[in-house]
Amino acid sequence: MSSRALLIDGYDYFFYSREEKRKHIHVEKGDKEAKFWMEPRIEIAYNLGFTTKEIKEILKTISQYERIINEKWDSHFHRE
C-alpha cells in the first residue's frame, strides 16, 4: 500500500507502507522511479531512469516541500 505525499507536474511523490523506518520518499513519473532519503539529509538512494536534470529538479522540489513531506510521513506512519 502506498500513500501520496505530493503530485507535481506529473511527478508522484509517495511512501510505501511497512517499508524501512528511515525517512524517505519515492518518486515516479511514467516508467521512471527514484528513492530519496530524507534523513540525515536529503539525498538520492537510487534512480531508475530519471535524467540528471530531472533528479536535480526532484531534489529541489523535495527541499522546497520538505516540511509538508515530513508532516505527511509522520501522519502516515503514526496511523498504522
Side-chain angles (χ1 to χ4, degrees):
M1 181 176 165
S2 66
S3 178
R4 177 177 286 155
L6 302 167
L7 180 62
I8 299 174
D9 295 330
Y11 291 88
D12 191 5
Y13 297 75
F14 63 94
F15 315 114
Y16 285 117
S17 296
R18 295 184 173 89
E19 205 179 20
E20 59 204 286
K21 300 231 182 257
R22 183 177 172 189
K23 197 175 284 189
H24 63 279
I25 192 157
H26 295 264
V27 181
E28 286 184 349
K29 185 173 186 179
D31 61 351
K32 299 179 253 184
E33 181 183 351
K35 176 179 174 178
F36 297 84
W37 298 118
M38 298 293 295
E39 57 185 27
R41 64 185 176 280
I42 299 170
E43 62 183 329
I44 191 164
Y46 68 77
N47 173 24
L48 300 173
F50 287 112
T51 66
T52 301
K53 182 179 178 183
E54 286 175 309
I55 292 295
K56 287 179 184 176
E57 286 300 313
I58 292 168
L59 284 167
K60 183 178 171 182
T61 299
I62 292 171
S63 294
Q64 181 180 356
Y65 290 93
E66 182 177 10
R67 182 183 56 78
I68 292 168
I69 292 168
N70 284 326
E71 287 172 0
K72 290 190 177 192
W73 172 280
D74 292 341
S75 174
H76 178 77
F77 287 100
H78 289 120
R79 185 174 57 212
E80 295 182 349

